[in-house]
Amino acid sequence: AQSVTQPDIHITVSEGASLELRCNYSYGATPYLFWYVQSPGQGLQLLLKYFSGDTLVQGIKGFEAEFKRSQSSFNLRKPSVHWSDAAEYFCAVGRNTGNQFYFGTGTSLTVIP
Amino acid sequence: EAQVTQNPRYLITVTGKKLTVTCSQNMNHEYMSWYRQDPGLGLRQIYYSMNVEVTDKGDVPEGYKVSRKEKRNFPLILESPSPNQTSLYFCASSPRGRHTEAFFGQGTRLTVV
């Protein structure tokens, strides 16, 4: 069965430090993968997506993610975190039909000064 | 501005009182979905629609109804709400195609007492 796992429920980093949020997926075919961010009281905004090709994907707000097929992972990274990055982050894998998605349980990011 | 609009944003209701949460998109998208977000569970799909008059169950459809009479609108109906339907609800839309992302509304926080 298709699924997405985000092993870290909550992460705290200092402003200016680097960030890596983990995402593992289970999918039978070549997956198409997404990272979304949810700021407090807001809907979900797409950060980046991967379908094929270059395994390092650049997104908005300085984020990037690397697809590693051998590890079934699609980790999100940012070299230097800003206080405004505090939010909930969701990894998702596209389903076969209807542009539907399986979402992970989310990782809540706290940024301390 | 391209957007998905949900109403209301906040709703408190009593058990058994029928309610409707509206969702409208102005991007001419074929696909629309409803998700609920609960702590520790991420987003789970309730219903989805691939086009007008075409709807299907998602992962957690019990206690919900939907309709798609017009392309732009996809209301979520709770005929007899119960406290376990207290949640944050998101409507999403996406265009036809395998690799397109979902665009989300800002969410409706529902409390059933």
Side-chain angles (χ1 to χ4, degrees):
Chain A
Q2 302 160 349
S3 65
V4 178
T5 302
Q6 293 180 249
D8 304 306
I9 296 172
H10 186 244
I11 285 181
T12 300
V13 299
S14 298
E15 191 167 15
S18 63
L19 171 70
E20 183 169 27
L21 302 182
R22 295 183 291 165
C23 173
N24 294 97
Y25 66 89
S26 171
Y27 194 79
T30 300
Y32 48 114
L33 297 158
F34 305 82
W35 274 100
Y36 284 87
V37 60
Q38 182 183 24
S39 299
Q42 301 297 313
L44 279 74
Q45 180 185 20
L46 180 72
L47 286 175
L48 47 80
K49 57 188 177 183
Y50 169 80
F51 309 140
S52 62
D54 193 347
T55 56
L56 186 61
V57 181
Q58 301 298 320
I60 62 171
K61 305 185 180 186
F63 285 92
E64 66 178 27
E66 186 171 11
F67 171 64
K68 292 185 177 180
R69 184 186 298 276
S70 61
Q71 299 177 19
S72 297
S73 69
F74 188 56
N75 294 348
L76 182 71
R77 301 195 294 247
K78 187 170 185 178
S80 178
V81 171
H82 188 262
W83 64 265
S84 60
D85 293 325
E88 184 112 24
Y89 291 80
F90 291 95
C91 181
V93 62
R95 305 192 193 192
N96 290 325
T97 60
N99 279 19
Q100 304 168 76
F101 308 88
Y102 286 106
F103 283 87
T105 51
T107 297
S108 177
L109 175 66
T110 297
V111 181
I112 56 177
Chain B
E1 180 188 355
Q3 58 186 2
V4 178
T5 303
Q6 295 178 228
N7 280 296
R9 293 288 310 278
Y10 302 91
L11 180 59
I12 301 174
T13 190
V14 296
T15 299
K17 185 177 181 181
K18 181 179 178 179
L19 66 91
T20 299
V21 183
T22 63
C23 174
S24 180
Q25 52 95 2
N26 62 1
M27 296 169 278
N28 201 37
H29 287 168
E30 285 79 10
Y31 297 130
M32 298 186 74
S33 298
W34 276 103
Y35 293 85
R36 60 178 289 173
Q37 182 183 2
D38 301 290
L41 297 176
L43 281 82
R44 294 176 293 167
Q45 191 177 58
I46 303 170
Y47 268 95
Y48 67 95
S49 170
M50 298 176 71
N51 215 326
V52 175
E53 303 291 2
V54 181
T55 64
D56 208 347
K57 296 177 180 179
D59 300 314
V60 288
E62 293 76 22
Y64 304 95
K65 284 176 57 179
V66 294
S67 68
R68 188 94 181 272
K69 292 183 170 53
E70 304 166 283
K71 196 173 187 179
R72 64 183 293 126
N73 296 324
F74 191 45
L76 179 69
I77 303 158
L78 284 72
E79 296 263 358
S80 182
S82 61
N84 64 12
Q85 293 179 297
T86 292
S87 187
L88 179 59
Y89 291 86
F90 287 101
C91 179
S93 73
S94 54
R96 188 187 304 275
R98 282 206 69 205
H99 300 158
T100 57
E101 72 267 23
F103 296 80
F104 285 84
Q106 290 198 298
T108 296
R109 185 164 293 281
L110 172 66
T111 302
V112 183
V113 298

